[in-house]
Amino acid sequence: MIPPDPPDAPDNDPHFEPERIARELDWNLLRTFVVLADSRSVTEAAQRLRLKQPSVSAALRRLEERLGRKLVDRSPGHFALTDAGRLLYREAVEINGSVLRLSTLVRELTDEVQGHVKICAASHVVCPLLDQALAEFHRAHPRASLSIEVHSSADAIAEVMAKRASFAVCLVRDHNPRLEYRRLYREFFGLFCGPAHPLFGRDDLSLADLAGHASVSFETDRLQDVLRPVTLMRAQAELGQRITGISSHLEEVRRMIIAGLGIGPLPVHVAARDVRDGLLWQLPPYSDLPAIDVHVVWNSRAVKNRAEDLLLRGILDAIEATPMEARTYR
């Protein structure tokens, strides 16, 4: 049986005295709440936390009682955060990330940099400037370690916001005032087909020849998302309304194009080798291609180890020293 939710408290409730909350709040309750908010039910949260379901329900009840606010609306078949729950989740994610990174407060006592750097990157990042920065960092600090995880751009930014990643290299739709952004490079998208496609190898094509053909694309190829200019290019080409294949990873979009599932967009500089190798063929339009910017995104409020500081600083210095024209891949 689900216990009754605590009533919302008035603004002058003593529970809301900041020092009282800071003194009495159990930080483990916040961690439990973050997992609960990321789950679709108390049962799922209990499985992820390796706890019994009543323990998770009791933790939620204690947190609601401590804050004097209902945090989750629950009923059979329904589970959703309240306005207070969404506000708490935003702050709790950051607090949880800070706790996870506490070890970085104790800096290395030797002169040798030995820390770990975790980068979250979109799958279509091809940037010589970034590659050079990584190479120089490794030569200077061979004991430091590095991991690169491929995510959708939205998930990469969420990892940075939660302080689970050192920084991200990805597309950006909206700027979060809690994060810092620096444009790394600009790329241009074109339309391509594979060897099995009837338009492959033809150099006498106009944009009208693409009308009605099936297409494949990225999950973010929507008017309201980061690849809006690519969406407009596909619409201009009057490709068929039905997208036959979709992925958040460039490698899989490339695979579907080569396999003949349809015409699809790719960064021109990324596809250049496949064009030379006869695996892809570029289609109209050939000029005024949509430009997409790729950014470095980091959380200035996250405590960083020496390796993270040095690599991020190296990338930002390289950006500053390189004119935008040299960071534009046509």
Side-chain angles (χ1 to χ4, degrees), residues 1 80 154 226 254 279 316:
M1 178 178 178
V226 287
R254 168 186 174 273
L279 295 175
L316 297 180

Side-chain angles (χ1 to χ4, degrees), residues 3-7 9 13-16 20-21 24-25 29 57-71:
D5 295 306
D13 189 292
H15 285 95
F16 285 87
R20 178 185 178 90
I21 291 178
E24 297 181 357
L25 186 62
L29 294 181
S57 295
L60 173 61
R61 184 170 63 254
R62 288 198 302 274
L63 184 59
E64 289 179 327
E65 290 172 349
R66 182 64 62 196
L67 297 176
R69 286 288 189 270
K70 181 180 178 182
L71 302 175

Side-chain angles (χ1 to χ4, degrees), residues 94-115:
E94 188 167 343
I95 292 170
N96 189 57
S98 295
V99 172
L100 291 174
R101 297 177 63 84
L102 277 178
S103 62
T104 63
L105 289 171
V106 182
R107 301 298 180 118
E108 296 94 332
L109 299 178
T110 67
D111 291 335
E112 193 170 25
V113 176
Q114 304 179 31

Side-chain angles (χ1 to χ4, degrees), residues 23 60 75 152 247 294:
R23 184 174 62 251
L60 173 61
S75 61
S152 68
S247 177
V294 177

Side-chain angles (χ1 to χ4, degrees), residues 80-148:
L81 298 182
T82 63
D83 289 343
R86 286 189 290 271
L87 177 62
L88 178 63
Y89 174 73
R90 187 185 69 189
E91 300 298 327
V93 164
E94 188 167 343
I95 292 170
N96 189 57
S98 295
V99 172
L100 291 174
R101 297 177 63 84
L102 277 178
S103 62
T104 63
L105 289 171
V106 182
R107 301 298 180 118
E108 296 94 332
L109 299 178
T110 67
D111 291 335
E112 193 170 25
V113 176
Q114 304 179 31
H116 181 74
V117 183
K118 175 183 173 182
I119 303 172
C120 288
S123 71
H124 53 277
V125 172
V126 176
C127 176
L129 183 145
L130 176 62
D131 296 344
Q132 182 63 28
L134 293 177
E136 292 176 359
F137 173 78
H138 177 66
R139 281 196 296 269
H141 311 291
R143 294 290 300 276
S145 59
L146 181 73
S147 63
I148 301 178

Side-chain angles (χ1 to χ4, degrees), residues 150-199:
V150 177
H151 293 268
S152 68
S153 291
D155 288 344
I157 291 174
E159 289 294 296
V160 173
M161 187 65 198
K163 301 179 182 177
R164 291 190 292 260
S166 309
F167 57 89
V169 180
C170 58
L171 307 185
V172 173
R173 183 180 65 179
D174 301 311
H175 284 232
N176 186 323
R178 296 187 173 199
L179 299 177
E180 303 290 335
Y181 301 82
R182 191 72 55 83
R183 182 168 60 179
L184 177 60
Y185 69 93
R186 171 169 289 177
E187 60 188 4
F188 292 83
F189 274 70
L191 294 174
F192 297 85
C193 67
H197 198 277
L199 299 182

